[in-house]
Amino acid sequence: MRNWQISLLFFLGLLFVWEILYRLGLWPPYVFPSPSSVAHSLYKGLANGTYLLAVATSMRRILIGYGLSILIGVPLGLLLGRSRLVQTTLGPMVMGLQALPSICWLPLALLWFGLGERAILFVVVMGALLSITLSTADGVRNTPPLYLRAARTMGADGLSLYARVVLPAAFPSIVSGMKLGWSFAWRSLMAGELLYISLGLGQALAMGRELNNMSQVIAVMILIVLIGLTVDRLAFAPAERRVRERWGLQAAAP
Amino acid sequence: MRLEARDVHKCFRTRRGVTEALDGATFQVASGEFVCILGPSGCGKSTMLSIFAGLESPDSGQVLGDGSPLTRPGSDRVVIFQEAALFPWLNVLDNVAFGLQVAGMGRKERRERAIEYLRLVHLDRFQTAYIHELSGGMKQRAELARALAMEPKVLLMDEPFAALDAQTRDILHTELQDIWARTVKTILFVTHNVREALVLGDRVLLMTSRPGSIKREYEYQLPRPRAMEDHALVDAAREILGDLRVEVNKEREERYAQLAD
């Protein structure tokens, strides 16, 4: 049997067990809904546009927030990896702040920006920024000295050395930082929306709880997993694989 | 370009103390000459090369190119390292054209130039290959093409064939002699292999163990192209090997003495 066939069988089995448990009637439906009512909720929510609106809102937020993290994080990482002054001043702060779950910024963000878009964007940026910065800085610091020496004897120095050698040499690290940053950003966004912020998938989740609509809660959870997984599989995994192959970090697929 | 080292001293400071790498190295290389620096491992011969490249600066003394001091890296002196320093994010052609791009040469022109030199090292069929797809010998050929494409006056070669298997190395010895004869470069070639030094060099400079200086100079009139197994060459090698062994032993005794402390 192929791997995907085994996976498929496993998940069908899981659905089957779920349905059996539901039919045994051990818990009331508002605590333990049936697979079909979850599927119905998913279908209804998508058909009447509520979930689509929620997905669109969350996606818009994450694209802006994550985009900002890359725009700030990569240059900051390049500085951090190259300049001893920045490394000894900002370095410990960046390391320290990474230990802080980004949702802890929400109270502060609410006071600074009020209950709205800018607060949630701030939390998303704080979630993704630091891991992107640290990975970029790591990549820069680990540039093989041999590459730098070779480039210098061929006349590259200063900015040209940076753009043509340091940045491409750090690229695999930057990509893994971006991948990590994406999953942090997605988690931060969900946490933020769940707590306070209107619209979005997190809000749909909170709404499900308030209405005692467990089918909706599970349907939205499934959507959140699917989006997270899709982006990882379709965008990051292939990018990372190609970079690793090209940089010779692993053997190319046979 | 005529190269000259005048009383070059160099120390490295590490956590374990100061290591004296070069102690008054003095020698000259005529323009268009192929000179090999031979010495036991760790004798400072690579450091000497880095100083000529402008990647390191001497503590005292100076190195000169055509009479003027060499203090910074310059594209008239290109280094070829032991491990190929080719960039994995560029294909072979773009690697060879790298220095030309840095110098601001137009795309079409630099590609033509790169292809010309790839042809010289018999690598023109691999223009679009990436570095991890090349064998060790092909990498060193690409490296050679990249250096030659800059059309430097001097090639500084730091044990470039040390990591290759014997057959590949022999082929590259022949090709390098051929390329040198055709392009008329000054070549300073560092090695710890006596016969390699004799195959390639017009002159061989033997360095003392660390701290390094020039111990002796050898000049044999061996006909080219040479191969490692030529009789005259093997005889010459025996003579040099005797002197080299003295230096190797000195280095070893010193290390044991350090261990005994």
Side-chain angles (χ1 to χ4, degrees):
Chain A
M1 239 181 346
R2 302 268 174 81
N3 280 345
W4 68 267
Q5 289 170 323
I6 298 174
S7 299
L8 188 67
L9 265 181
F10 172 74
F11 284 107
L12 285 177
L14 212 60
L15 275 178
F16 183 72
V17 172
W18 180 0
E19 182 70 36
I20 299 266
L21 282 177
Y22 172 75
R23 295 215 176 171
L24 287 175
L26 298 173
W27 303 282
Y30 67 86
V31 175
F32 195 84
S34 71
S36 56
S37 76
V38 171
H40 180 71
S41 167
L42 199 55
Y43 171 74
K44 206 181 67 191
L46 289 174
N48 71 19
T50 357
Y51 292 171
L52 289 181
L53 180 67
V55 169
T57 309
S58 292
M59 287 314 277
R60 201 193 67 237
R61 284 175 182 153
I62 196 152
L63 286 181
I64 298 174
Y66 181 60
L68 280 174
S69 325
I70 293 176
L71 285 182
I72 306 168
V74 173
L76 192 60
L78 292 175
L79 264 176
L80 201 60
R82 210 63 198 154
S83 147
R84 206 165 56 90
L85 182 70
V86 179
Q87 169 62 33
T88 45
T89 50
L90 276 183
M93 197 168 101
V94 172
M95 290 288 247
L97 287 182
Q98 214 213 1
L100 184 71
S102 74
I103 193 63
C104 301
W105 287 100
L106 189 64
L108 189 142
L110 291 176
L111 289 175
W112 279 0
F113 302 112
L115 194 64
E117 287 300 305
R118 286 197 298 168
I120 190 77
L121 285 180
F122 181 75
V123 171
V124 171
V125 168
M126 291 317 287
L129 176 68
L130 300 178
S131 61
I132 294 176
T133 303
L134 286 175
S135 287
T136 305
D138 245 17
V140 169
R141 268 194 294 269
N142 291 331
T143 306
L146 188 62
Y147 291 166
L148 298 176
R149 287 163 70 90
R152 282 172 63 207
T153 72
M154 286 184 288
D157 62 357
L159 216 57
S160 140
L161 186 68
Y162 220 86
R164 292 181 207 279
V165 181
V166 176
L167 194 59
F171 195 64
S173 253
I174 296 177
V175 171
S176 10
M178 280 168 64
K179 184 181 165 191
L180 201 63
W182 163 264
S183 71
F184 280 138
W186 186 235
R187 281 153 216 231
S188 311
L189 178 66
M190 289 305 116
E193 286 184 348
L194 192 58
L195 282 176
Y196 289 106
I197 312 294
S198 62
L199 296 171
L201 282 166
Q203 175 67 15
L205 211 53
M207 192 71 86
R209 182 186 61 86
E210 275 163 32
L211 300 175
N212 267 350
N213 185 348
M214 188 58 91
S215 303
Q216 174 172 346
V217 170
I218 296 181
V220 173
M221 283 167 70
I222 290 175
L223 276 177
I224 294 172
V225 168
L226 283 180
I227 292 172
L229 217 58
T230 308
V231 172
D232 193 69
R233 284 294 128 88
L234 292 188
F236 287 108
E240 208 175 25
R241 199 176 53 238
R242 274 175 55 184
V243 166
R244 290 184 69 84
E245 271 173 24
R246 167 82 68 86
W247 265 246
L249 295 170
Q250 73 187 27
Chain B
M1 181 184 272
R2 183 165 43 81
L3 296 178
E4 191 180 349
R6 273 188 202 159
D7 197 25
V8 173
H9 290 257
K10 176 79 183 172
C11 292
F12 289 105
R13 278 154 202 87
T14 59
R15 233 171 293 161
R16 270 177 292 161
V18 179
T19 309
E20 223 182 333
L22 290 169
D23 182 25
T26 302
F27 61 90
Q28 291 184 13
V29 180
S31 185
E33 197 181 15
F34 198 144
V35 170
C36 291
I37 297 185
L38 181 69
S41 57
C43 72
K45 52 196 192 298
S46 292
T47 306
M48 194 63 244
L49 212 65
S50 293
I51 291 174
F52 271 116
L55 293 170
E56 314 262 6
S57 52
D59 293 339
S60 69
Q62 55 181 173
V63 290
L64 308 163
D66 282 340
S68 41
L70 304 170
T71 52
R72 285 159 23 86
S75 50
D76 52 351
R77 294 157 276 137
V78 180
V79 185
I80 297 174
F81 300 92
Q82 176 178 342
E83 310 160 63
L86 300 162
F87 304 132
W89 55 90
L90 300 175
N91 65 21
V92 170
L93 184 66
D94 291 335
N95 259 292
V96 174
F98 178 89
L100 307 174
Q101 191 182 10
V102 171
M105 186 186 276
R107 183 180 159 81
K108 188 162 171 282
E109 204 184 343
R110 67 172 187 258
R111 287 174 75 92
E112 277 169 12
R113 171 98 71 93
I115 290 170
E116 179 190 332
Y117 283 98
L118 279 171
R119 205 168 285 142
L120 187 69
V121 298
H122 311 294
L123 220 52
D124 45 318
R125 285 191 303 123
F126 295 90
Q127 288 167 30
T128 57
Y130 281 98
I131 304 313
H132 69 91
E133 298 169 320
L134 303 183
S135 68
M138 286 155 87
K139 281 181 192 162
Q140 289 303 25
R141 276 167 211 256
E143 185 95 345
L144 191 58
R146 182 166 77 169
L148 290 169
M150 306 287 297
E151 306 196 332
K153 295 175 185 151
V154 179
L155 287 182
L156 301 166
M157 307 184 77
D158 190 0
E159 306 207 38
F161 307 142
L164 302 179
D165 62 85
Q167 286 85 355
T168 310
R169 193 191 50 201
D170 283 353
I171 295 170
L172 283 168
H173 282 163
T174 313
E175 287 183 9
L176 182 60
Q177 292 181 70
D178 187 45
I179 287 170
W180 172 68
R182 277 204 266 172
T183 56
V184 201
K185 308 275 181 207
T186 308
I187 300 184
L188 192 55
F189 189 108
V190 160
T191 178
H192 62 263
N193 183 324
V194 177
R195 286 205 276 162
E196 178 170 65
L198 282 167
V199 166
L200 297 173
D202 293 329
R203 269 191 306 142
V204 177
L205 306 176
L206 178 66
M207 277 182 83
T208 61
S209 63
R210 196 167 53 209
S213 58
I214 303 302
K215 177 177 177 169
R216 223 185 122 180
E217 189 179 314
Y218 305 87
E219 197 165 356
Y220 297 94
Q221 306 293 335
L222 303 171
R224 288 183 190 268
R226 305 171 192 157
M228 273 190 160
E229 60 279 2
D230 295 347
H231 278 298
L233 197 145
V234 173
D235 290 341
R238 196 168 296 133
E239 187 192 348
I240 299 180
L241 210 51
D243 292 342
L244 179 61
R245 214 164 268 146
V246 172
E247 292 308 316
V248 172
N249 285 338
K250 229 195 289 178
E251 199 257 329
R252 196 163 48 191
E253 273 160 30
E254 205 165 286
R255 211 168 33 197
Y256 286 152
Q258 272 176 359
L259 285 174
D261 279 348

